[in-house]
Structures are given as structure tokens and as C-alpha cells.
Amino acid sequence: DNANDTGTATLTTGTHGQVLISAGVYPNAFILSGTGWGEATGLLGALRLQGGTISGPVTLAGNTRITSHGGSGIISGPIGEAGGSRNLEIGGSGTATNFNTVLTLSGANTYTGTTSVGTAASRTATLNLTGSLASPAVTVHPGSTLQGNGSMAGSLTFAAGATNLGVNAGLPSALSVAGAASFNGTTTVTLTPGAGVAPGGSVTLMNYGSASASPANFALANPANYRQAIFTVGATALTLDVGAKALTWTGAGGLTWDVATTSNWSDGSASAFYQGDTITFNDSAGAANATVSAAAGIAPAAISINNSTAVPYTFAGTGSVTGGAALVKSGNGSVFVNAAMTYTGGTTIQGGAF
């Protein structure tokens, strides 16, 4: 359905009913229960989001499954419950394979039943939690992913097998678990560098009340793009040290800004760039080295450009500068951008032209 057809009335599903949403913002109240109607590909939930946002309240009238079946969706309204404690299952079941559910929960969710993320390795889910969960127990099943910087009032379990944790270091805080966090297999961490990755320091991946894990339970995605990956399971936080440095562009080894390859940076001696480094472009490179060709998927922690009119910088190439970094431009020089700048930390122009 779409937002033009539903009006503002409450939408209710029975045990084998389903509301399918493809786009739009829905302020409606939803009352949900069950796992959805029996489709050829399985039971795809009482609510199936393939786009769109539910901003109204959601009430679980029974144990409920929510999926996106290969799409994604957002519930920004609160999820509560009626008639007792209700469990929420995120992701499909049945014969459907390779249809990952991607669901963002950004509201204050008060239901008190358990939460399951994914149901099997072939029917996975990604929960992006930016709000809060009162659920007493959250389980991430094999092949599924938990990410975001929200909070959980209960415990968190990563099941045996291969699971995933996404961390955006450009967000102002890390995921917080009030109870125990248990890691029972190998959890691969996908890090999006941002301000939380400080040169010479560690980034907090998760805060918790207590933990059952060892560093051997963790792996870093794309480890060759980082200098190192040292996990520490502390009493109240899981941290990662990627060996990040503060680098200044020289261009002396070539004008391609790539990862772990070209030594055209300096931290006092020649160095290559690695993901999560904090970087500076200034006049020291000289005008001859100020045309920078970006390779694909460059992800610094922070970007500073402080140049004069003598050294105008140009960023070109078919690659992209991505991740959670913020860019600050100072000095009276110009910067010309002809490359994809998809970093999400914002741009501040304190001087010059951009």
C-alpha cells in the first residue's frame, strides 16, 4: 500500500494477515500480531516494509514478525504491546532465501518480550537501532547484523556462528546495553571511520553492563585496509584500536589518494593512508602536488584542508571519500571538487572557497 490510500485510521492485522508498505510516511496506529500470510516464499510478517516510514504507534497484540524481504524500512513511532508480554521477530522465515530484512527502529520501544534479529543464515536481518529497546533479551542470529547507537535495557546475545556488528564512529555515541553482552561465535565488525577514531587511540564499539567474550570472538571486516585490529573486551566496553595516525598530504609518492598503497603522506616520515586516519591538506605539498585523485571507498576519520591562494587544491578521480568523517576548510585558498564526496559528518567552511 502507499500513504495516499490508508488515511489516518488504525491498521490491524490478524494472526495470518499482513500490511505491505512500499513508500511514504504513515502516522497511522498499527496493531500487529502473527507471522503474516502464507506466501510462496514463506511467512513474511504481519508488517512488511519495502520502503517507507511508520511514524505512528505500533502495538504488538501478539507475538509478531516484521520483515522488509529484500527492502528496508523505518519505524520511528514507539512499539508497545497489549495483553501481556509480546515477542518481536525481525526477518522472514520459510523458503525465502537471500532476502535480508533491513529495519531501523528510532523510537522509544516499550514492549517487554524478546527480540530476535534474523531467523537463520539464509534468512538474515539487519537491525539499525538508533532508538531504545525495553526488551529484556535481544538475540542476533547467524548471518544477521546489529548496528546503530541506540540503547537496550536488557541483555544482548550474538548466537554461535558468524554474526555481524556495524559501528559508525561518526555518530556521537556507541550502542549501549544495560545488561550482559554475550558473544558465542565470530562477530565481524564493520567499522565506518569518523570522529570516534582518534590517532593513537581506540574507538568504543559497544558499552555494556558486563560481557562474556574474548578478543578471539571478533574480526574486523577488510582488515588489510587498516594498520591493525586490536580488540579489547573491557569490564564495561568493547573497544578497537586500528592504529590510526594523523597524516599530512605530501603528494611526493604520487597524486593518487588510495588505501594502504601509496606513500604520499607524512606523519614525520613517509606513510601510506589507511582507513580511519585523520588527514590534513595544507600548503606544504606545493601547488604541483595539489591535484588529488581519489580512489574508491576512502574513509578517513576527519579531514582538514588549510591552504592559501598559492596552493589551490583539486579533488578528482572516479573514487569517493566516504564514511562518517567531517571536513573543515580553513585558509584563504580554494578547493575544487570533482569527485564523489559522500562522507556524512558535514562540511564547515571557515575560510576560502569550496
Side-chain angles (χ1 to χ4, degrees), residues 21-68:
I21 290 175
S22 59
V25 178
Y26 294 77
N28 309 66
F30 287 74
I31 300 175
L32 306 175
S33 63
T35 57
W37 66 290
E39 303 176 66
T41 50
L43 298 171
L44 302 181
L47 175 62
R48 179 174 163 187
L49 287 159
Q50 290 190 277
T53 298
I54 294 175
S55 60
V58 176
T59 300
L60 307 183
N63 296 336
T64 301
R65 177 178 294 155
I66 297 175
T67 80
S68 67

Side-chain angles (χ1 to χ4, degrees), residues 243-319:
K245 293 184 176 183
L247 301 178
T248 300
W249 173 259
T250 67
L255 298 181
T256 299
W257 179 8
D258 49 29
V259 179
T261 302
T262 307
S263 295
N264 43 16
W265 300 84
S266 175
D267 66 338
S269 58
S271 174
F273 168 86
Y274 287 80
Q275 305 287 50
D277 286 341
T278 293
I279 58 170
T280 297
F281 297 90
N282 59 26
D283 283 3
S284 64
N289 292 330
T291 298
V292 182
S293 180
I298 302 294
I303 308 165
S304 172
I305 305 174
N306 183 5
N307 62 319
S308 71
T309 56
V311 185
Y313 271 91
T314 297
F315 293 89
T318 59

Side-chain angles (χ1 to χ4, degrees), residues 100-140:
N100 182 52
T101 284
V102 180
L103 179 65
T104 295
L105 298 181
S106 58
N109 302 291
T110 60
Y111 67 92
T112 59
T114 63
T115 303
S116 296
V117 182
T119 57
S122 61
R123 291 173 289 278
T124 59
T126 296
L127 172 59
N128 180 35
L129 181 63
T130 57
S132 61
L133 283 180
S135 177
V138 177
T139 300
V140 180

